[in-house]
Amino acid sequence: MADPKGFLKVTERELPKRRPVPVRLMDWKEVYEQNDPAQVRRQAGRCMDCGIPFCHQGCPLGNLIPEWNDLTWRGEGRDAIERLHATNNFPEFTGRLCPAPCESSCVLGINQPAVTIKQVEVSIIDQAFANGWVDSHPPERLTGKTVAVVGSGPAGLAAAQQLTRAGHTVAVYERDNRIGGLLRYGIPDFKMEKKHLDARLKQMTDEGTRFRAGVNIGVDITWDELKARYDAVVVATGAMVPRDLPIPGRDLPGVHFAMEYLVQANKVGAGDDVADQITAEDKHVVVLGGGDTGADCIGTAHRQGAASVTNLAIGTQPPSERTDAQPWPMMPTLFEVASAHEEGGSREYLVSTVEFLPNAAGELRAIRVAETEFVDGRRVPKSGTEREIPADLVLLALGFTGPESDQLGDQLGVPFDGRGNVGRGDDYQTSEEGVFVAGDAGRGQSLIVWAIAEGRAAAAAVDRYLEGETELPAPVRPTDRAISL
Ligand SMILES: Cc1cc2nc3c(=O)[nH]c(=O)nc-3n(C[C@H](O)[C@H](O)[C@H](O)COP(=O)(O)OP(=O)(O)OC[C@H]3O[C@@H](n4cnc5c(N)ncnc54)[C@H](O)[C@@H]3O)c2cc1C
Ligand code: SF4
């Protein structure tokens, strides 16, 4: 156990500072300052060794949180990273990007602020990379079996690393020009610099995983051909079909899906030339929809020099504190002030967009919005409350309806479930033998931690399919959901 009296001596949560807003808006680097090792140790020492660590249930990976809190408090960083890697292939991603459902279920959180678990996690892996403790683990023997992983987001990468280490020959196919999925082209550098992804990809390459960027499965190679070439296929193609807003003016230049905008910004950040880049420079920007995608658009727009940024949400503003409807240890929906929200702009709730309005030249000039009201259980615009908001650029961050289905469905005959996700059984296998599904493609747009957990579990299922048995861990089932009572 970490310090037995730690939670009595240190009662406050301490987190690393965010860099000053005017400074961080001048670059694309991560917003947080370096971890202070003394602060991390103090926080790790608050872990109570509570006996029934609900944080294990809160974390889809089942991270052994009290164990690495204890090791961090003792200054045993090398053992801490071993315990962390035992359940999580990529703590540098989750430690930066996870919304930390573990912290919502921390037992200390019942009557004190929760342990800063996520900060301890990222400090362990950052220290390990800095000290050269992140070795490659190539397999001791090869099985002679081959696996194709399609999609290089966190689900595909986790599945690939597990299967490579189990001795299979694994190739990861990615249609983008770089590997990483949403970690590469969705999430901006100010949340996670790409050097962390590149360091992990180097480890994976050293272990023997092969990467094939710029190959669109279904187009460059058909799904049937891929299935015939490999002993097993893992579909980890994400859930990237965006939800649209089919209202008058939707076709006006200046109205874009968030991902069109974010991918371009990330490509430019990586040094690519993007012709006719959609940019927020000097524009009045309106972001429709909250969530991570909306926040990433806001932060990107501010760094590009937007004239103004307005974020509209159709729902009510969430509460700042847990309500009785979402008791501990559930993960509550709370009003969040992400780093991007701190950087400027305004947020409005209960606003419904009814029309995109053009100027004389046929370009976007404004949006017409109205207050929302509930009619027959649906939120609808309230008549008489319409007003205009100036807008040169509108970004639709309204969520995603599911994975792309055309080629996968047509070429392999794989079914899709009622929510539009790729259908699969308890063993992550589709109706097509030897074809497995992991991450958002099977679950719907979710979180990085779930994608990694599913990638690990699907890898165990593939290994069992190929070898008849497996020693790989399977932290989650396809039907598992976030902790609830
Ligand atoms: C803008 C944005 C910000 C987010 N921020 C966060 C966050 O801060 N924290 C968090 O936990 N979650 C966040 N999420 C959610 C998280 O990124 C996803 O849940 C996670 O990346 C899903 O991983 P995945 O591996 O299933 O799919 P993805 O990361 O979507 O990767 C799928 C990959 O498959 C490739 N692909 C698709 N079809 C083919 C094909 N036919 N052939 C070859 N390649 C193909 C795609 O190009 C893509 O690279 C965010 C999502 C978005 C959109
Ligand atoms: S991965 Fe997420 S839920 Fe799990 S320990 Fe880390 S921050 Fe918590």
PDB file of all heavy atoms in Angstrom, residues 443-469:
ATOM      1  N   ARG A 443     -18.453  -1.306 -31.862  1.00  0.00           N
ATOM      2  CA  ARG A 443     -19.061  -0.725 -30.658  1.00  0.00           C
ATOM      3  C   ARG A 443     -19.775   0.587 -30.958  1.00  0.00           C
ATOM      4  O   ARG A 443     -20.617   1.041 -30.193  1.00  0.00           O
ATOM      5  CB  ARG A 443     -17.927  -0.511 -29.637  1.00  0.00           C
ATOM      6  CG  ARG A 443     -18.215   0.294 -28.403  1.00  0.00           C
ATOM      7  CD  ARG A 443     -17.062   0.204 -27.436  1.00  0.00           C
ATOM      8  NE  ARG A 443     -17.000  -1.129 -26.854  1.00  0.00           N
ATOM      9  CZ  ARG A 443     -17.668  -1.506 -25.767  1.00  0.00           C
ATOM     10  NH1 ARG A 443     -18.419  -0.652 -25.115  1.00  0.00           N
ATOM     11  NH2 ARG A 443     -17.572  -2.742 -25.318  1.00  0.00           N
ATOM     12  N   GLY A 444     -19.419   1.228 -32.079  1.00  0.00           N
ATOM     13  CA  GLY A 444     -19.879   2.594 -32.334  1.00  0.00           C
ATOM     14  C   GLY A 444     -18.853   3.547 -31.751  1.00  0.00           C
ATOM     15  O   GLY A 444     -18.031   3.157 -30.911  1.00  0.00           O
ATOM     16  N   GLN A 445     -18.904   4.814 -32.174  1.00  0.00           N
ATOM     17  CA  GLN A 445     -17.912   5.804 -31.734  1.00  0.00           C
ATOM     18  C   GLN A 445     -17.843   5.805 -30.203  1.00  0.00           C
ATOM     19  O   GLN A 445     -18.845   5.963 -29.524  1.00  0.00           O
ATOM     20  CB  GLN A 445     -18.310   7.188 -32.256  1.00  0.00           C
ATOM     21  CG  GLN A 445     -17.300   8.270 -32.020  1.00  0.00           C
ATOM     22  CD  GLN A 445     -16.031   8.152 -32.866  1.00  0.00           C
ATOM     23  OE1 GLN A 445     -14.942   8.351 -32.341  1.00  0.00           O
ATOM     24  NE2 GLN A 445     -16.145   7.843 -34.140  1.00  0.00           N
ATOM     25  N   SER A 446     -16.652   5.590 -29.656  1.00  0.00           N
ATOM     26  CA  SER A 446     -16.534   5.414 -28.212  1.00  0.00           C
ATOM     27  C   SER A 446     -15.304   6.149 -27.697  1.00  0.00           C
ATOM     28  O   SER A 446     -15.133   7.341 -27.963  1.00  0.00           O
ATOM     29  CB  SER A 446     -16.476   3.919 -27.922  1.00  0.00           C
ATOM     30  OG  SER A 446     -16.339   3.657 -26.567  1.00  0.00           O
ATOM     31  N   LEU A 447     -14.455   5.425 -26.985  1.00  0.00           N
ATOM     32  CA  LEU A 447     -13.281   6.044 -26.370  1.00  0.00           C
ATOM     33  C   LEU A 447     -12.036   5.231 -26.690  1.00  0.00           C
ATOM     34  O   LEU A 447     -12.113   4.024 -26.948  1.00  0.00           O
ATOM     35  CB  LEU A 447     -13.443   6.096 -24.847  1.00  0.00           C
ATOM     36  CG  LEU A 447     -14.535   7.000 -24.298  1.00  0.00           C
ATOM     37  CD1 LEU A 447     -14.659   6.798 -22.793  1.00  0.00           C
ATOM     38  CD2 LEU A 447     -14.242   8.461 -24.617  1.00  0.00           C
ATOM     39  N   ILE A 448     -10.895   5.861 -26.566  1.00  0.00           N
ATOM     40  CA  ILE A 448      -9.624   5.193 -26.839  1.00  0.00           C
ATOM     41  C   ILE A 448      -9.432   4.003 -25.893  1.00  0.00           C
ATOM     42  O   ILE A 448      -8.979   2.934 -26.299  1.00  0.00           O
ATOM     43  CB  ILE A 448      -8.488   6.226 -26.705  1.00  0.00           C
ATOM     44  CG1 ILE A 448      -8.567   7.204 -27.874  1.00  0.00           C
ATOM     45  CG2 ILE A 448      -7.122   5.550 -26.662  1.00  0.00           C
ATOM     46  CD1 ILE A 448      -7.891   8.512 -27.640  1.00  0.00           C
ATOM     47  N   VAL A 449      -9.794   4.194 -24.631  1.00  0.00           N
ATOM     48  CA  VAL A 449      -9.584   3.113 -23.666  1.00  0.00           C
ATOM     49  C   VAL A 449     -10.408   1.879 -24.042  1.00  0.00           C
ATOM     50  O   VAL A 449      -9.953   0.740 -23.912  1.00  0.00           O
ATOM     51  CB  VAL A 449      -9.864   3.607 -22.223  1.00  0.00           C
ATOM     52  CG1 VAL A 449     -11.311   4.031 -22.026  1.00  0.00           C
ATOM     53  CG2 VAL A 449      -9.506   2.550 -21.199  1.00  0.00           C
ATOM     54  N   TRP A 450     -11.626   2.091 -24.547  1.00  0.00           N
ATOM     55  CA  TRP A 450     -12.445   0.954 -24.985  1.00  0.00           C
ATOM     56  C   TRP A 450     -11.838   0.327 -26.237  1.00  0.00           C
ATOM     57  O   TRP A 450     -11.854  -0.899 -26.403  1.00  0.00           O
ATOM     58  CB  TRP A 450     -13.877   1.407 -25.277  1.00  0.00           C
ATOM     59  CG  TRP A 450     -14.708   1.525 -24.025  1.00  0.00           C
ATOM     60  CD1 TRP A 450     -15.039   2.680 -23.385  1.00  0.00           C
ATOM     61  CD2 TRP A 450     -15.297   0.466 -23.260  1.00  0.00           C
ATOM     62  NE1 TRP A 450     -15.797   2.400 -22.267  1.00  0.00           N
ATOM     63  CE2 TRP A 450     -15.980   1.048 -22.173  1.00  0.00           C
ATOM     64  CE3 TRP A 450     -15.317  -0.926 -23.395  1.00  0.00           C
ATOM     65  CZ2 TRP A 450     -16.668   0.297 -21.224  1.00  0.00           C
ATOM     66  CZ3 TRP A 450     -16.010  -1.675 -22.446  1.00  0.00           C
ATOM     67  CH2 TRP A 450     -16.668  -1.063 -21.386  1.00  0.00           C
ATOM     68  N   ALA A 451     -11.307   1.148 -27.127  1.00  0.00           N
ATOM     69  CA  ALA A 451     -10.713   0.616 -28.365  1.00  0.00           C
ATOM     70  C   ALA A 451      -9.515  -0.271 -28.029  1.00  0.00           C
ATOM     71  O   ALA A 451      -9.351  -1.358 -28.592  1.00  0.00           O
ATOM     72  CB  ALA A 451     -10.302   1.771 -29.279  1.00  0.00           C
ATOM     73  N   ILE A 452      -8.687   0.167 -27.098  1.00  0.00           N
ATOM     74  CA  ILE A 452      -7.515  -0.646 -26.716  1.00  0.00           C
ATOM     75  C   ILE A 452      -7.994  -1.937 -26.051  1.00  0.00           C
ATOM     76  O   ILE A 452      -7.497  -3.032 -26.344  1.00  0.00           O
ATOM     77  CB  ILE A 452      -6.579   0.141 -25.765  1.00  0.00           C
ATOM     78  CG1 ILE A 452      -6.059   1.409 -26.449  1.00  0.00           C
ATOM     79  CG2 ILE A 452      -5.399  -0.735 -25.322  1.00  0.00           C
ATOM     80  CD1 ILE A 452      -5.278   2.338 -25.522  1.00  0.00           C
ATOM     81  N   ALA A 453      -8.971  -1.808 -25.155  1.00  0.00           N
ATOM     82  CA  ALA A 453      -9.470  -2.993 -24.448  1.00  0.00           C
ATOM     83  C   ALA A 453     -10.050  -3.999 -25.449  1.00  0.00           C
ATOM     84  O   ALA A 453      -9.804  -5.207 -25.358  1.00  0.00           O
ATOM     85  CB  ALA A 453     -10.526  -2.585 -23.419  1.00  0.00           C
ATOM     86  N   GLU A 454     -10.814  -3.494 -26.422  1.00  0.00           N
ATOM     87  CA  GLU A 454     -11.397  -4.401 -27.424  1.00  0.00           C
ATOM     88  C   GLU A 454     -10.317  -4.996 -28.324  1.00  0.00           C
ATOM     89  O   GLU A 454     -10.400  -6.156 -28.721  1.00  0.00           O
ATOM     90  CB  GLU A 454     -12.420  -3.651 -28.275  1.00  0.00           C
ATOM     91  CG  GLU A 454     -13.724  -3.421 -27.561  1.00  0.00           C
ATOM     92  CD  GLU A 454     -14.918  -3.561 -28.499  1.00  0.00           C
ATOM     93  OE1 GLU A 454     -14.727  -3.819 -29.691  1.00  0.00           O
ATOM     94  OE2 GLU A 454     -16.053  -3.406 -28.014  1.00  0.00           O
ATOM     95  N   GLY A 455      -9.313  -4.195 -28.668  1.00  0.00           N
ATOM     96  CA  GLY A 455      -8.218  -4.716 -29.497  1.00  0.00           C
ATOM     97  C   GLY A 455      -7.515  -5.868 -28.790  1.00  0.00           C
ATOM     98  O   GLY A 455      -7.200  -6.892 -29.397  1.00  0.00           O
ATOM     99  N   ARG A 456      -7.306  -5.726 -27.490  1.00  0.00           N
ATOM    100  CA  ARG A 456      -6.660  -6.794 -26.705  1.00  0.00           C
ATOM    101  C   ARG A 456      -7.567  -8.037 -26.662  1.00  0.00           C
ATOM    102  O   ARG A 456      -7.102  -9.164 -26.850  1.00  0.00           O
ATOM    103  CB  ARG A 456      -6.394  -6.308 -25.271  1.00  0.00           C
ATOM    104  CG  ARG A 456      -5.288  -5.286 -25.159  1.00  0.00           C
ATOM    105  CD  ARG A 456      -5.238  -4.648 -23.783  1.00  0.00           C
ATOM    106  NE  ARG A 456      -4.804  -5.556 -22.725  1.00  0.00           N
ATOM    107  CZ  ARG A 456      -3.554  -5.856 -22.433  1.00  0.00           C
ATOM    108  NH1 ARG A 456      -2.571  -5.308 -23.144  1.00  0.00           N
ATOM    109  NH2 ARG A 456      -3.252  -6.670 -21.443  1.00  0.00           N
ATOM    110  N   ALA A 457      -8.844  -7.799 -26.410  1.00  0.00           N
ATOM    111  CA  ALA A 457      -9.761  -8.942 -26.283  1.00  0.00           C
ATOM    112  C   ALA A 457      -9.944  -9.647 -27.629  1.00  0.00           C
ATOM    113  O   ALA A 457      -9.985 -10.881 -27.691  1.00  0.00           O
ATOM    114  CB  ALA A 457     -11.108  -8.456 -25.741  1.00  0.00           C
ATOM    115  N   ALA A 458     -10.053  -8.883 -28.705  1.00  0.00           N
ATOM    116  CA  ALA A 458     -10.216  -9.498 -30.027  1.00  0.00           C
ATOM    117  C   ALA A 458      -8.962 -10.292 -30.389  1.00  0.00           C
ATOM    118  O   ALA A 458      -9.046 -11.361 -30.999  1.00  0.00           O
ATOM    119  CB  ALA A 458     -10.502  -8.425 -31.073  1.00  0.00           C
ATOM    120  N   ALA A 459      -7.793  -9.782 -29.982  1.00  0.00           N
ATOM    121  CA  ALA A 459      -6.545 -10.509 -30.252  1.00  0.00           C
ATOM    122  C   ALA A 459      -6.570 -11.869 -29.553  1.00  0.00           C
ATOM    123  O   ALA A 459      -6.146 -12.884 -30.128  1.00  0.00           O
ATOM    124  CB  ALA A 459      -5.350  -9.694 -29.774  1.00  0.00           C
ATOM    125  N   ALA A 460      -7.084 -11.906 -28.325  1.00  0.00           N
ATOM    126  CA  ALA A 460      -7.183 -13.189 -27.612  1.00  0.00           C
ATOM    127  C   ALA A 460      -8.093 -14.138 -28.381  1.00  0.00           C
ATOM    128  O   ALA A 460      -7.792 -15.333 -28.521  1.00  0.00           O
ATOM    129  CB  ALA A 460      -7.716 -12.957 -26.191  1.00  0.00           C
ATOM    130  N   ALA A 461      -9.205 -13.602 -28.906  1.00  0.00           N
ATOM    131  CA  ALA A 461     -10.145 -14.453 -29.657  1.00  0.00           C
ATOM    132  C   ALA A 461      -9.493 -14.966 -30.949  1.00  0.00           C
ATOM    133  O   ALA A 461      -9.658 -16.139 -31.314  1.00  0.00           O
ATOM    134  CB  ALA A 461     -11.410 -13.659 -29.980  1.00  0.00           C
ATOM    135  N   VAL A 462      -8.732 -14.118 -31.616  1.00  0.00           N
ATOM    136  CA  VAL A 462      -8.065 -14.539 -32.852  1.00  0.00           C
ATOM    137  C   VAL A 462      -7.014 -15.607 -32.539  1.00  0.00           C
ATOM    138  O   VAL A 462      -6.909 -16.624 -33.234  1.00  0.00           O
ATOM    139  CB  VAL A 462      -7.400 -13.310 -33.548  1.00  0.00           C
ATOM    140  CG1 VAL A 462      -6.545 -13.762 -34.729  1.00  0.00           C
ATOM    141  CG2 VAL A 462      -8.453 -12.314 -34.000  1.00  0.00           C
ATOM    142  N   ASP A 463      -6.268 -15.391 -31.477  1.00  0.00           N
ATOM    143  CA  ASP A 463      -5.221 -16.344 -31.097  1.00  0.00           C
ATOM    144  C   ASP A 463      -5.848 -17.716 -30.785  1.00  0.00           C
ATOM    145  O   ASP A 463      -5.337 -18.756 -31.224  1.00  0.00           O
ATOM    146  CB  ASP A 463      -4.475 -15.792 -29.872  1.00  0.00           C
ATOM    147  CG  ASP A 463      -3.198 -16.566 -29.565  1.00  0.00           C
ATOM    148  OD1 ASP A 463      -2.517 -16.999 -30.520  1.00  0.00           O
ATOM    149  OD2 ASP A 463      -2.894 -16.763 -28.368  1.00  0.00           O
ATOM    150  N   ARG A 464      -6.984 -17.693 -30.088  1.00  0.00           N
ATOM    151  CA  ARG A 464      -7.656 -18.962 -29.765  1.00  0.00           C
ATOM    152  C   ARG A 464      -8.159 -19.619 -31.051  1.00  0.00           C
ATOM    153  O   ARG A 464      -8.051 -20.828 -31.231  1.00  0.00           O
ATOM    154  CB  ARG A 464      -8.822 -18.726 -28.799  1.00  0.00           C
ATOM    155  CG  ARG A 464      -9.459 -20.033 -28.316  1.00  0.00           C
ATOM    156  CD  ARG A 464     -10.569 -19.850 -27.297  1.00  0.00           C
ATOM    157  NE  ARG A 464     -10.125 -19.194 -26.084  1.00  0.00           N
ATOM    158  CZ  ARG A 464     -10.400 -17.943 -25.753  1.00  0.00           C
ATOM    159  NH1 ARG A 464     -11.149 -17.211 -26.557  1.00  0.00           N
ATOM    160  NH2 ARG A 464      -9.966 -17.417 -24.652  1.00  0.00           N
ATOM    161  N   TYR A 465      -8.663 -18.817 -31.964  1.00  0.00           N
ATOM    162  CA  TYR A 465      -9.161 -19.343 -33.251  1.00  0.00           C
ATOM    163  C   TYR A 465      -8.015 -19.996 -34.043  1.00  0.00           C
ATOM    164  O   TYR A 465      -8.176 -21.067 -34.623  1.00  0.00           O
ATOM    165  CB  TYR A 465      -9.776 -18.180 -34.037  1.00  0.00           C
ATOM    166  CG  TYR A 465     -10.067 -18.471 -35.484  1.00  0.00           C
ATOM    167  CD1 TYR A 465     -11.185 -19.236 -35.855  1.00  0.00           C
ATOM    168  CD2 TYR A 465      -9.231 -17.979 -36.486  1.00  0.00           C
ATOM    169  CE1 TYR A 465     -11.446 -19.504 -37.195  1.00  0.00           C
ATOM    170  CE2 TYR A 465      -9.486 -18.241 -37.823  1.00  0.00           C
ATOM    171  CZ  TYR A 465     -10.599 -19.005 -38.169  1.00  0.00           C
ATOM    172  OH  TYR A 465     -10.852 -19.268 -39.498  1.00  0.00           O
ATOM    173  N   LEU A 466      -6.848 -19.373 -33.992  1.00  0.00           N
ATOM    174  CA  LEU A 466      -5.721 -19.881 -34.790  1.00  0.00           C
ATOM    175  C   LEU A 466      -5.002 -21.042 -34.106  1.00  0.00           C
ATOM    176  O   LEU A 466      -4.509 -21.955 -34.761  1.00  0.00           O
ATOM    177  CB  LEU A 466      -4.713 -18.750 -35.053  1.00  0.00           C
ATOM    178  CG  LEU A 466      -5.211 -17.609 -35.946  1.00  0.00           C
ATOM    179  CD1 LEU A 466      -4.171 -16.498 -36.008  1.00  0.00           C
ATOM    180  CD2 LEU A 466      -5.537 -18.111 -37.355  1.00  0.00           C
ATOM    181  N   GLU A 467      -4.917 -20.989 -32.772  1.00  0.00           N
ATOM    182  CA  GLU A 467      -4.076 -21.957 -32.050  1.00  0.00           C
ATOM    183  C   GLU A 467      -4.870 -22.947 -31.195  1.00  0.00           C
ATOM    184  O   GLU A 467      -4.288 -23.845 -30.595  1.00  0.00           O
ATOM    185  CB  GLU A 467      -3.106 -21.193 -31.118  1.00  0.00           C
ATOM    186  CG  GLU A 467      -2.152 -20.260 -31.852  1.00  0.00           C
ATOM    187  CD  GLU A 467      -1.172 -21.019 -32.726  1.00  0.00           C
ATOM    188  OE1 GLU A 467      -0.349 -21.752 -32.181  1.00  0.00           O
ATOM    189  OE2 GLU A 467      -1.259 -20.880 -33.971  1.00  0.00           O
ATOM    190  N   GLY A 468      -6.171 -22.725 -31.088  1.00  0.00           N
ATOM    191  CA  GLY A 468      -6.990 -23.615 -30.258  1.00  0.00           C
ATOM    192  C   GLY A 468      -7.011 -23.228 -28.794  1.00  0.00           C
ATOM    193  O   GLY A 468      -7.859 -23.664 -28.034  1.00  0.00           O
ATOM    194  N   GLU A 469      -6.076 -22.393 -28.362  1.00  0.00           N
ATOM    195  CA  GLU A 469      -6.043 -21.887 -26.976  1.00  0.00           C
ATOM    196  C   GLU A 469      -5.269 -20.573 -26.979  1.00  0.00           C
ATOM    197  O   GLU A 469      -4.600 -20.248 -27.966  1.00  0.00           O
ATOM    198  CB  GLU A 469      -5.345 -22.896 -26.050  1.00  0.00           C
ATOM    199  CG  GLU A 469      -3.927 -23.203 -26.500  1.00  0.00           C
ATOM    200  CD  GLU A 469      -3.253 -24.249 -25.620  1.00  0.00           C
ATOM    201  OE1 GLU A 469      -3.924 -24.820 -24.762  1.00  0.00           O
ATOM    202  OE2 GLU A 469      -2.049 -24.447 -25.806  1.00  0.00           O
TER     203      GLU A 469
END
